């Protein structure tokens, strides 16, 4: 697998713009760091982080056409929020182009943008790494959520979803229903944990 990761890095370097490639490498290494913290397979975490944005070099319209060509069904929500589509098409690319057979890795790529209720540990790791990696600097809560990621992953996922939804709603952007479902689930986890502490 390690040789495969090095080959994939070289291939992605030629496809992604320099900024996206740097982000990709950072997410890959941050995923590996979180995997060390939570006892998850390092190779899986590094691989999922590496391929999480493998479809990002396509424009939204191109992804919609490619999904139609490959009979990948799109929901109305996904069509209204096309920025999330690179995750769905990226999961397809990981499996069919890059020959990844591990369902855990494919699912981590699939859900890294919207999240979903009851994410696996690897899914939560890649979702979180995408938000906290060192190249990210726009979110106001980074200094708060970065250390939290290594202490309480569920709480970190809740905070990321909460901040993302507030940001999108503040801009008047459409919010994908899967993100709303993920937020509702992790808010419940947050509230239950808070109730136990009181």
């Amino acid at each position: 697998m390690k040789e495969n990761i090095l080959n994939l890095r070289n291939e992605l370097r030629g496809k992604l713009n320099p900024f996206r490639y740097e982000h990709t490498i950072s997410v890959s290494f941050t995923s590996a760091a979180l995997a060390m913290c939570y006892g998850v397979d390092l190779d899986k975490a590094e691989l999922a982080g590496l391929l999480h944005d493998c479809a990002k070099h396509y424009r939204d319209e191109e992804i919609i056409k490619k999904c139609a060509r490959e009979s990948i069904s799109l929901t109305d929500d996904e069509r209204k929020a096309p920025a999330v589509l690179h995750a769905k098409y990226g999961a397809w690319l990981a499996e069919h182009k890059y020959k990844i057979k591990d369902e855990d890795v494919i699912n981590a790529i699939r859900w890294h943008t919207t999240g979903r209720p009851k994410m696996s540990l690897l899914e939560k790791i890649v979702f979180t790494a995408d938000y906290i990696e060192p190249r990210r600097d726009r979110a106001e809560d980074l200094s708060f959520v970065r250390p939290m990621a290594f202490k309480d992953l569920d709480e970190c996922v809740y905070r990321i979803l909460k901040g993302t939804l507030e940001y999108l709603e503040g801009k008047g952007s459409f919010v994908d229903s899967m993100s709303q479902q993920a937020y509702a689930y992790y808010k419940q986890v947050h509230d239950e944990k808070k109730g136990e502490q009181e």
Side-chain angles (χ1 to χ4, degrees), residues 16-59:
L16 303 174
N17 69 44
F19 174 81
R20 181 64 51 191
Y21 181 73
E22 282 296 314
H23 165 70
T24 291
I25 296 300
S26 281
V27 171
S28 183
F29 288 152
T30 303
S31 294
L34 286 166
M36 289 180 207
C37 181
Y38 292 105
V40 171
D41 186 290
L42 286 178
D43 289 335
K44 283 188 182 187
E46 188 176 355
L47 183 60
L50 189 62
L51 288 174
H52 84 285
D53 272 354
C54 67
K56 195 76 173 178
H57 59 292
Y58 296 114
R59 295 190 314 278

Side-chain angles (χ1 to χ4, degrees), residues 72-178:
I72 302 167
S73 62
L74 301 179
T75 65
D76 288 341
D77 271 15
E78 287 167 337
R79 291 177 185 279
K80 287 178 193 168
V84 307
L85 288 178
H86 73 278
K88 191 173 210 175
Y89 187 57
W92 186 91
L93 280 177
E95 183 176 1
H96 294 90
K97 179 178 181 178
Y98 297 112
K99 308 302 180 194
I100 306 303
K101 299 303 175 196
D102 191 305
E103 283 295 318
D104 294 337
V105 172
I106 292 167
N107 284 332
I109 296 165
R110 170 68 183 91
W111 300 110
H112 83 269
T113 302
T114 60
R116 66 168 169 172
K118 299 182 182 176
M119 283 191 278
S120 72
L121 201 46
L122 182 60
E123 288 168 30
K124 288 185 279 192
I125 281 172
V126 176
F127 174 85
T128 300
D130 187 34
Y131 192 86
I132 69 166
E133 62 93 353
R135 298 284 181 267
R136 292 283 200 201
D137 59 4
R138 291 185 186 167
E140 293 178 8
D141 59 350
L142 281 170
S143 62
F144 177 70
V145 295
R146 277 178 171 144
M148 182 185 290
F150 293 89
K151 296 173 192 162
D152 187 336
L153 198 53
D154 282 342
E155 182 67 13
C156 187
V157 167
Y158 161 68
R159 296 288 178 171
I160 291 170
L161 285 163
K162 183 175 187 285
T164 300
L165 264 59
E166 286 172 355
Y167 171 75
L168 291 172
E169 287 164 359
K171 279 177 53 181
S173 301
F174 178 80
V175 178
D176 182 274
S177 61
M178 188 55 75

